Amino acid sequence: MERERDVSTESHGERADRNFMELLQGSRVAVTGVQVLFAFLLTVPFSQGFSALAMADRWLYYVALVSAALAAICYIAPASQHRVLFRQGHKETLVQRSNFYGIAGALALAVAMTSATALVIDYLFGSPVAWITAGALAALAAWTWFVQPAVSRAGDPPADPPGDPSPGSEPAAGAHEPNRL
């Protein structure tokens, strides 16, 4: 079992470093999926059947391709910005931006996955099945990636502002404080 990390003794800089590393770890899973989807989508127009697609399917492809590109940009941005801002004292800003980019990347990835799936299912079975499936996938992604965590977050007590804890605000010895970004 993983040992709980005592976050109450972290300095502001240590907390920012830990939060940034946690954000990067979380995005590694999504980045692989985005790269595979984006690479696949880049090859689709060069396949034999692409020229036979109706204009509506071409627009659906366009949405999938651009959304995958946006997701890739959002997920790569934190690592790129970290290189540019290395040792410049902007870690907290980088953490906040990375969190925003992670959420934006997840949204773009949900759109890319949904539209790419709709395109393939429309080709295989027609529009009604494609739109029903796309709607179900979009709803599932919305629930699992955004709504369910928002519901959990709404039930949490407000987090302390970032930075070193103010005197007297440390938890009692042995008290557990959940890791917060």
Side-chain angles (χ1 to χ4, degrees):
M1 182 153 94
E2 188 177 318
R3 213 172 71 190
E4 286 291 322
R5 182 184 178 117
D6 184 11
V7 296
S8 64
T9 61
E10 288 182 325
S11 71
H12 181 69
E14 289 171 334
R15 183 181 200 161
D17 286 341
R18 179 180 52 82
N19 287 340
F20 185 66
M21 292 310 295
E22 288 175 0
L23 285 165
L24 287 181
Q25 283 296 102
S27 69
R28 282 191 176 122
V29 172
V31 165
T32 303
V34 168
Q35 289 174 329
V36 170
L37 178 61
F38 189 46
F40 166 74
L41 288 169
L42 288 172
T43 65
V44 169
F46 303 105
S47 62
Q48 285 183 329
F50 189 79
S51 60
L53 288 180
M55 187 53 73
D57 286 337
R58 288 174 182 253
W59 279 108
L60 197 54
Y61 170 78
Y62 173 82
V63 169
L65 180 67
V66 171
S67 297
L70 288 172
I73 289 168
C74 288
Y75 282 123
I76 293 168
S80 179
Q81 287 194 17
H82 182 261
R83 292 293 73 192
V84 174
L85 296 173
F86 187 67
R87 294 190 179 203
Q88 298 298 308
H90 297 289
K91 185 65 66 97
E92 185 61 38
T93 299
L94 188 57
V95 168
Q96 291 172 359
R97 284 182 192 164
S98 297
N99 187 58
F100 171 79
Y101 289 136
I103 293 169
L107 181 60
L109 179 56
V111 171
M113 290 172 61
T114 301
S115 54
T117 302
L119 175 64
V120 172
I121 292 174
D122 185 42
Y123 180 80
L124 294 173
F125 300 108
S127 292
V129 176
W131 290 113
I132 291 168
T133 305
L137 289 174
L140 181 62
W143 172 255
T144 59
W145 294 0
F146 302 106
V147 177
Q148 191 175 33
V151 169
S152 295
R153 185 176 179 155
D156 288 345
D160 290 333
D164 295 329
S166 59
S169 66
E170 286 83 26
H176 172 70
E177 178 183 322
N179 291 341
R180 295 192 186 270
L181 294 179

